[in-house]
């Protein structure tokens, strides 16, 4: 019996989502031992949040460009932009997880009122959208990657793609707000 990814998009989505979210939660909760991760210099660790802010901004641009291209019927350009968005997301995630495993999470340095009424709600919505976004992005991506372009139009790709792009955009924008609050404003 031949395994065909196109016949198992939901299962693959579930498996990739579980692995990805387990890595994220494992890193944030300290379940991944620091000893198994090579230690970068302090300069590299210090640069990661700033690099990730640039990556997030680039992802916002590529997602918006991908939306524009698909609306104009430029499917190949849409495909390139969305694959670039996914690559940027994966790069962001690897850098973020590395920093969290090696250094832990960053404490909010600003005033308590801003922490309580601005930072925490922004971070909470960002995290919730990022978590929800993972399976939706995987599902949309797998629908597109497991079929010829002509067959993608007969799937849920467009419907889930709109959801994925919206969640992704809002999450990246809120992530940049969190970055500004942690590293620029305070």
């Amino acid at each position: 019996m031949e395994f065909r990814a196109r016949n198992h998009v939901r299962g693959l989505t579930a498996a990739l989502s579980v692995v990805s979210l387990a890595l994220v939660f494992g890193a944030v909760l300290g379940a991944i031992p620091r000893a198994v991760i090579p230690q970068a210099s302090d300069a590299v660790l210090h640069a990661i949040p700033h690099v990730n802010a640039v990556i997030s901004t680039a992802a916002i641009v590529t997602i918006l460009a991908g939306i524009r291209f698909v609306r104009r019927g430029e499917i190949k350009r849409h495909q390139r932009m969305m694959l670039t968005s996914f690559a940027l997301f994966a790069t962001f995630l690897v850098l973020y997880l590395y920093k969290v495993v090696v250094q832990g999470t960053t404490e909010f340095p600003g005033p308590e009122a801003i922490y309580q009424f601005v930072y925490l709600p922004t971070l909470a919505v960002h995290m919730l959208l990022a978590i929800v976004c993972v399976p939706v992005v995987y599902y949309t991506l797998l629908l597109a990657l497991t079929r010829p372009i002509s067959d993608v139009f007969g799937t849920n790709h467009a419907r889930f793609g709109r959801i994925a792009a919206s969640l992704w955009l809002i999450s990246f924008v809120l992530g940049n707000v969190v970055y500004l609050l942690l590293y620029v404003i305070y």
Side-chain angles (χ1 to χ4, degrees), residues 23-70:
L23 284 171
V24 171
F25 284 108
V28 171
L29 298 174
I32 300 173
R34 290 181 186 177
V36 300
I37 306 293
Q39 180 70 38
S41 69
D42 287 341
V44 169
L45 291 170
H46 177 74
I48 288 174
H50 310 295
V51 170
N52 270 352
V54 172
I55 290 171
S56 293
T57 303
I60 291 166
V61 170
T62 59
I63 293 167
L64 289 172
I67 292 168
R68 181 173 183 197
F69 289 140
V70 78

Side-chain angles (χ1 to χ4, degrees), residues 134-165:
V134 168
V136 180
V137 167
Y138 277 138
Y139 182 69
T140 305
L141 181 66
L142 287 169
L143 283 174
L145 292 178
T146 59
R147 291 161 172 73
I149 290 176
S150 59
D151 291 353
V152 172
F153 296 105
T155 69
N156 287 324
H157 177 80
R159 184 171 61 148
F160 279 88
R162 284 188 288 276
I163 296 166

